[in-house]
């Protein structure tokens, strides 16, 4: 059974998609052991509690500096002995020590088709604003492993979503969530939980 930690900063719609997929059997051989947020007001924490999952807040604001926060955060995460860390809208830069310790065991969902509209500054609505400003006809979402860069780790899954006439960033954001994010993030977790993917030389290998 794959033990999963989900890190969130906001409403937790991707967390909900994971929990729903586990309840319906679309994700097998995995369970969410803990949900951690940097924001004590994140609704994602309530979603976790409603599912009987331990939910806690560890905020950089509660520590004298980022180094102290990073150490406390990693120690708390390690205490749960999880196999996989899922970033589901987590707006905190991960400490390098955590990335090294959890190499190829941290995944992230990004609301574009990487390498488009990703990297520093591209998160939340800014991603969709960028897509609309560029005039692209197709956008989507990407699940990838996390490395030391920003949105640069090996890609696991991508799903395309059409950009429609008259889209606003908010409308496009919702469509990308519904048609891509909420589908491929649970799918990636299920693949990992059942040994269907591995990483070799920075590339994701699908094991049949």
């Amino acid at each position: 059974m794959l033990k999963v930690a989900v890190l969130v900063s906001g409403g937790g719609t991707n967390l909900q998609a994971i929990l729903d997929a586990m309840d319906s059997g679309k994700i097998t051989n995995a369970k969410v052991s803990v949900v951690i947020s940097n924001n004590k007001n994140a609704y994602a924490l309530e979603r976790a509690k409603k599912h009987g999952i331990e939910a806690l807040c560890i905020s950089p604001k509660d520590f004298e500096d980022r180094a102290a926060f990073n150490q406390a955060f990693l120690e708390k995460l390690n205490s749960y002995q999880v196999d996989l860390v899922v970033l589901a809208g987590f707006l905190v830069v991960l400490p390098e020590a955590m990335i090294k310790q959890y190499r190829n065991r941290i995944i992230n969902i990004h609301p574009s088709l990487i390498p488009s509209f990703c990297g520093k500054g591209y998160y939340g609505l800014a991603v969709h604003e960028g897509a609309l400003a560029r005039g692209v006809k197709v956008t989507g979402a990407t699940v990838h492993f996390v490395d030391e860069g920003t949105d640069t780790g090996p890609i696991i899954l991508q799903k395309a979503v059409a950009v429609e006439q008259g889209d606003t960033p908010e409308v496009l954001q919702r469509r990308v969530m519904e048609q891509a994010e909420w589908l491929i993030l649970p799918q990636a977790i299920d693949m990992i939980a059942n040994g269907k993917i591995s990483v070799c030389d920075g590339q994701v290998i699908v094991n049949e």
Side-chain angles (χ1 to χ4, degrees), residues 29-194:
N29 199 33
K31 67 173 184 177
V32 177
S33 297
V34 64
V35 172
I36 305 175
S37 179
N38 62 304
N39 173 14
K40 70 178 186 298
N41 296 317
Y43 185 65
L45 296 175
E46 294 303 314
R47 294 182 191 271
K49 291 173 184 175
K50 288 178 181 178
H51 254 75
I53 298 167
E54 189 164 352
L56 56 114
C57 173
I58 307 175
S59 172
K61 297 176 182 178
D62 297 330
F63 296 85
E64 59 186 29
D65 56 33
R66 184 51 69 95
F69 164 76
N70 286 347
Q71 181 177 349
F73 187 88
L74 185 54
E75 287 177 356
K76 177 59 72 172
L77 179 64
N78 287 344
S79 72
Y80 289 93
Q81 298 181 315
V82 297
D83 306 300
L84 180 69
V85 178
V86 178
L87 308 185
F90 190 58
L91 303 180
V92 175
V93 176
L94 298 183
E96 190 171 314
M98 177 178 165
I99 294 173
K100 288 182 177 179
Q101 184 173 334
Y102 287 84
R103 178 76 64 193
N104 296 332
R105 292 196 293 145
I106 307 173
I107 65 173
N108 179 55
I109 180 79
H110 183 77
S112 77
L113 297 175
I114 291 174
S116 297
F117 312 108
C118 66
K120 190 174 182 180
Y122 278 112
Y123 61 89
L125 278 178
V127 178
H128 307 291
E129 290 168 352
L132 291 174
R134 187 69 178 87
V136 298
K137 305 305 180 188
V138 176
T139 185
T142 303
V143 181
H144 65 95
F145 284 108
V146 173
D147 62 10
E148 286 80 1
T150 303
D151 302 325
T152 56
I155 290 172
I156 302 169
L157 291 170
Q158 291 185 306
K159 192 172 191 303
V161 174
V163 179
E164 298 181 4
Q165 190 73 28
D167 272 349
T168 64
E170 292 81 5
V171 168
L172 183 57
Q173 180 184 52
R174 184 72 185 185
R175 187 182 308 116
V176 169
M177 287 193 292
E178 292 177 347
Q179 296 185 11
E181 293 181 50
W182 298 347
L183 302 178
I184 63 173
L185 183 56
Q187 183 183 352
I189 294 170
D190 182 68
M191 292 172 73
I192 293 168
N194 291 285

